[in-house]
Amino acid sequence: MGAFGNFAASLSAISIMSGALLLFGYGLNSGGPAVVMWGWLAIGPLVLCLAAALAEITSRYPTSGGLYYMARQLGGERWSWYTGWLNLLGLLAGIAAQDYGIATFTAAWANLQFGHVPTPGSLLVVYAIVLVLHAVLNLFGARLMNALTSLSAWWHLAGAVVIIGALALVPSHHQPAGFVFTEFTNNTGWSSPTYVILLGMLLPCFALAGYDTSAHLSEETSRASVAAARGIVRSVAVSWIAGGILLAALLFAVQDYAATLAGPTGVPVAQIFLDALGVATAKALLLVIIVAQFLCGYTVTAAASRMIYAFSRDGALPGSARWRQVSRRTAVPANAVWLAVIVAFVLALPSLYSASAFSAVTAISVVGFTPAYAIPVLLRLRHRDKWTHGPWHLGRFSRPIGWTAVVWAAAVTVLFLLPQTSPVAAATFNYTPVATLVALALAALWWRIGRRSYDVPRSGDPANHQDNASESVIR
């Protein structure tokens, strides 16, 4: 992959037409337009700080293992072990969130086209089909990945321009700026406005995650010590700017706020298109979004499978010998691909009985990703004697940016373990703490049983490690 392909992979994994739109309805209920807009504007720079700090370390250690390899070099094997497990949890939950979101948008399109009324069971079936399609596409080699990620980047940017243009030019009525930037709505059941505002931060935190894809694809990228680092930072910056404009366009185009939340499609974005642009245009734009989301899900599945492969290559997972096997023809870890989609399917099973399952899965992804991103940064800050920067670095801004990122990441991790709706019941239970504890318990158990097989390369030379790792992939 070239530098643009690597950047495009992270841009696709972040996917402004996926993360931002999948949780748009959640944001409207958890704070409303004011929290959606101001939350996006406020969280973006903090995410960029964490991304820049992580990019600096990626420049030093460009490997498929990414975060856990960085943690091994900077803090030791135990730090590496738990970083890897958290990163894997974030990736697997990311697949679940992205692909289940595709199922909901597909159901919304089917509602407009055929009058289909989605049920939890039918959504799960569509979700399973999407997972299988992503698995099959991921069985091909890096050439197809390079083509699809590049297509995804252009599709996202062009699609966003088309949607923003349509919402700005076609509707005869637009909401005033006061509605977009000051309207507050609380449908969470909690009485504290501050707590509701904090809950609303899930939208930008989830939507702007996934940029570690550039690191996981380092071993398939030319000049990865620079290209992967730049891919991380540029993908976040572009997504933040484009995503903010897209969210503003949607909010200005709202015709009836109550109808948007209670529309028959079950997807507020679809209802905005329907009310503001008409049925034909709404269906066409939904297809644009669904294709973008599908390409995003493909990329996240690729990143997760490479993470499973790399973690297994170093002996960190039960059955590592199976998951690190690669195809002699395509050099793709096929078993790792199938493991990723099977676990993602299991994570979404609570959707059959839980109305808040989707937001819980997105929270699991954030709680997995965020500390996994922050741990290597924290270790780099604590162990200055072990750190030598790579070709891409932040210079004198490295430490202030790093500490800002670590403090923010710690706060976010705690926040999304808390209940999202009140009263707390089986149908509204946020099972993020349960999933996180299960993952950490499994990690702790396997540490006691299988840590003797854990062997992360100790070389501090990223170029040598990348060359050796690439050879192992080809074999």
Side-chain angles (χ1 to χ4, degrees):
M1 300 178 68
F4 181 80
N6 185 279
F7 154 76
S10 276
L11 189 71
S12 178
I14 296 173
S15 181
I16 58 172
M17 285 198 287
S18 187
L21 301 189
L22 293 179
L23 283 178
F24 185 72
Y26 172 90
L28 293 183
N29 284 297
S30 304
V35 174
V36 169
M37 284 308 305
W38 290 114
W40 187 269
L41 294 174
I43 293 299
L46 295 172
V47 174
L48 196 56
C49 283
L50 184 54
L54 189 63
E56 185 176 48
I57 306 175
T58 299
S59 180
R60 182 72 181 92
Y61 304 115
T63 70
S64 288
L67 311 178
Y68 82 86
Y69 178 79
M70 301 171 193
R72 169 64 185 88
Q73 301 305 312
L74 297 170
E77 288 188 347
R78 190 183 290 268
W79 281 106
S80 171
W81 183 275
Y82 285 100
T83 299
W85 278 83
L86 285 169
N87 188 202
L88 187 56
L89 176 65
L91 285 165
L92 294 174
I95 296 174
Q98 297 292 350
D99 286 10
Y100 195 84
I102 295 171
T104 62
F105 270 72
T106 302
W109 180 86
N111 178 268
L112 296 180
Q113 180 68 31
F114 306 111
H116 169 71
V117 178
T119 64
S122 65
L123 287 175
L124 196 66
V125 171
V126 176
Y127 171 62
I129 294 172
V130 174
L131 285 173
V132 171
L133 290 174
H134 280 151
V136 171
L137 285 174
N138 266 282
L139 298 181
F140 296 92
R143 187 172 298 177
L144 176 63
M145 182 184 299
N146 194 36
L148 289 180
T149 54
S150 298
L151 170 64
S152 179
W154 290 114
W155 187 276
H156 275 81
L157 295 176
V161 169
V162 170
I163 293 172
I164 292 167
L167 292 174
L169 299 176
V170 175
S172 58
H173 167 74
H174 288 91
Q175 294 288 347
F179 169 84
V180 174
F181 291 99
T182 64
E183 180 72 21
F184 179 82
T185 303
N186 177 13
N187 292 327
T188 66
W190 298 106
S191 59
S192 169
T194 301
Y195 186 60
V196 174
I197 291 171
L198 292 175
L199 289 178
M201 297 303 103
L202 178 60
L203 188 158
C205 288
F206 172 71
L208 294 174
Y211 45 85
D212 60 314
T213 300
S214 287
H216 291 301
L217 296 176
S218 293
E219 294 175 20
E220 298 162 73
T221 301
S222 301
R223 299 186 67 247
S225 58
V226 174
R230 289 177 176 171
I232 290 173
V233 175
R234 290 173 177 174
S235 63
V236 173
V238 171
S239 296
W240 179 50
I241 295 170
I245 298 172
L246 178 60
L247 289 173
L250 284 167
L251 292 172
F252 275 111
V254 170
Q255 304 298 301
D256 185 328
Y257 193 45
T260 298
L261 291 175
T265 64
V267 175
V269 172
Q271 193 63 42
I272 292 174
F273 289 163
L274 184 62
D275 294 340
L277 306 173
V279 176
T281 305
K283 289 188 290 186
L285 293 184
L286 279 176
L287 288 177
V288 170
I289 292 172
I290 290 168
V291 171
Q293 292 172 343
F294 186 85
L295 293 169
C296 169
Y298 164 82
T299 306
V300 177
T301 304
S305 66
R306 270 49 171 191
M307 171 63 194
I308 292 171
Y309 158 75
F311 216 26
S312 299
R313 179 178 61 187
D314 297 328
L317 292 177
S320 287
R322 176 180 295 274
W323 313 127
R324 65 171 174 251
Q325 293 178 5
V326 297
S327 166
R328 292 183 179 274
R329 184 173 61 86
T330 63
V332 169
N335 292 339
V337 171
W338 287 111
L339 177 63
V341 298
I342 289 171
V343 175
F345 180 78
V346 172
L347 283 174
L349 284 177
S351 65
L352 290 173
Y353 63 84
S354 173
S356 61
F358 178 72
S359 59
V361 170
T362 60
I364 293 170
S365 182
V366 172
V367 169
F369 275 133
T370 307
Y373 292 165
I375 288 172
V377 178
L378 175 63
L379 293 173
R380 190 259 296 173
L381 294 169
R382 289 181 56 191
H383 303 292
R384 300 177 67 176
D385 56 318
K386 296 183 180 181
W387 172 249
T388 303
H389 65 70
W392 192 97
H393 59 92
L394 297 170
R396 60 193 177 94
F397 297 104
S398 177
R399 291 184 66 79
I401 288 176
W403 281 116
T404 300
V406 168
V407 172
W408 174 76
V412 165
T413 301
V414 173
L415 174 62
F416 296 126
L417 293 172
L418 302 177
Q420 297 174 344
T421 56
S422 179
V424 178
T428 60
F429 178 65
N430 178 14
Y431 58 93
T432 302
V434 176
T436 305
L437 287 174
V438 168
L440 292 176
L442 184 58
L445 176 63
W446 193 244
W447 172 258
R448 297 179 63 88
I449 297 173
R451 64 178 173 179
R452 293 179 181 176
S453 65
Y454 190 47
D455 183 25
V456 181
R458 299 171 184 270
S459 168
D461 184 347
N464 289 341
H465 179 86
Q466 187 182 349
D467 290 342
N468 294 337
S470 296
E471 290 173 6
S472 71
V473 174
I474 294 171
R475 285 200 306 272

